[in-house]
Amino acid sequence: MRLATVVSQAPGESMTSGAQVRLRKVAETAPPEAVSARPEWAQHLADTADVAEAGHEDLEWADAVLFGTPTRFGNPASQLRAFIDTTGPLWFQGKLAHKVYSAFTASNTAHGGQESTLLALANTFSHWGGIIVPPGYTDPVQFQSGNPYGTSHVAGDGPPGEVVLKAARSQARRVVDTAALLKAGRTA
């Protein structure tokens, strides 16, 4: 599971070059026997072994945050929820407010709870005082991918195809652009 943080538009960087990015993952809390029962899960853990774990300092540092999570029964995975549940001190100090938030997800089957997972994360972003930036239907690819709440993928169909990847790029660009506009407006 990954927490991707898109952050801090540096002065002089163009929007086409993007933003400074920290890619993080949350701690794996599932027991080893659950992970080993799913070869793709074990492979994911091996593939992301060198990715740093998310910490509160990553959220505090970010101007914009993109959360990615598998769908678990129509909700974010418990590992991500466990991380989010530790953010109370940041929330209480107002350190999560006024940031741009967005999310993406995957489920094993079509209609596997993707939209409800993204909407559940929006509940958290609202409590934090965040600015929720979904992709909406702001790019023609959204009429192909079909999820205005965030990029989603049916993992049971195989790896993400070009439509899903294009939708993800569009969503990330929208998040970065919105965060940059907000940051510029605050300094004006």
Side-chain angles (χ1 to χ4, degrees):
M1 180 150 6
R2 295 182 181 159
L3 166 73
T5 309
V6 180
V7 295
S8 302
Q9 181 72 22
E13 278 188 347
S14 72
M15 288 314 302
T16 56
S17 69
Q20 296 174 17
V21 176
R22 287 184 183 177
L23 177 64
R24 299 293 189 256
K25 64 181 179 183
V26 295
E28 180 56 71
T29 58
E33 56 274 7
V35 174
S36 64
R38 299 294 306 259
E40 65 277 10
W41 194 350
Q43 185 62 51
H44 173 72
L45 286 181
D47 292 346
T48 60
D50 62 340
V51 176
E53 284 190 6
H56 289 183
E57 65 281 357
D58 296 308
L59 294 177
E60 198 170 345
W61 176 73
D63 296 315
V65 179
L66 281 159
F67 283 108
T69 181
T71 293
R72 295 290 187 257
F73 305 107
N75 286 290
S78 63
Q79 295 89 334
L80 180 59
R81 286 298 329 160
F83 173 74
I84 288 171
D85 288 346
T86 69
T87 63
L90 289 177
W91 164 79
F92 186 73
Q93 297 172 52
K95 293 182 177 182
L96 299 174
H98 313 296
K99 296 175 183 281
V100 171
Y101 294 96
S102 199
F104 57 96
T105 190
S107 62
N108 197 49
T109 60
H111 312 292
Q114 296 170 347
E115 290 181 350
S116 62
T117 296
L118 297 169
L119 291 169
L121 285 169
N123 292 334
T124 298
F125 305 154
S126 294
H127 280 263
W128 286 350
I131 299 155
I132 301 168
V133 178
Y137 288 99
T138 59
D139 185 292
V141 73
Q142 289 308 119
F143 292 98
Q144 295 173 334
S145 69
N147 193 335
Y149 306 107
T151 302
S152 59
H153 173 64
V154 177
D157 292 346
E162 190 53 38
V163 169
V164 171
L165 296 174
K166 189 173 179 184
R169 287 189 292 270
S170 174
Q171 181 178 357
R173 186 174 39 258
R174 184 167 157 78
V175 166
V176 170
D177 289 351
T178 302
L181 289 169
L182 286 168
K183 191 170 184 177
R186 288 182 186 128
T187 59

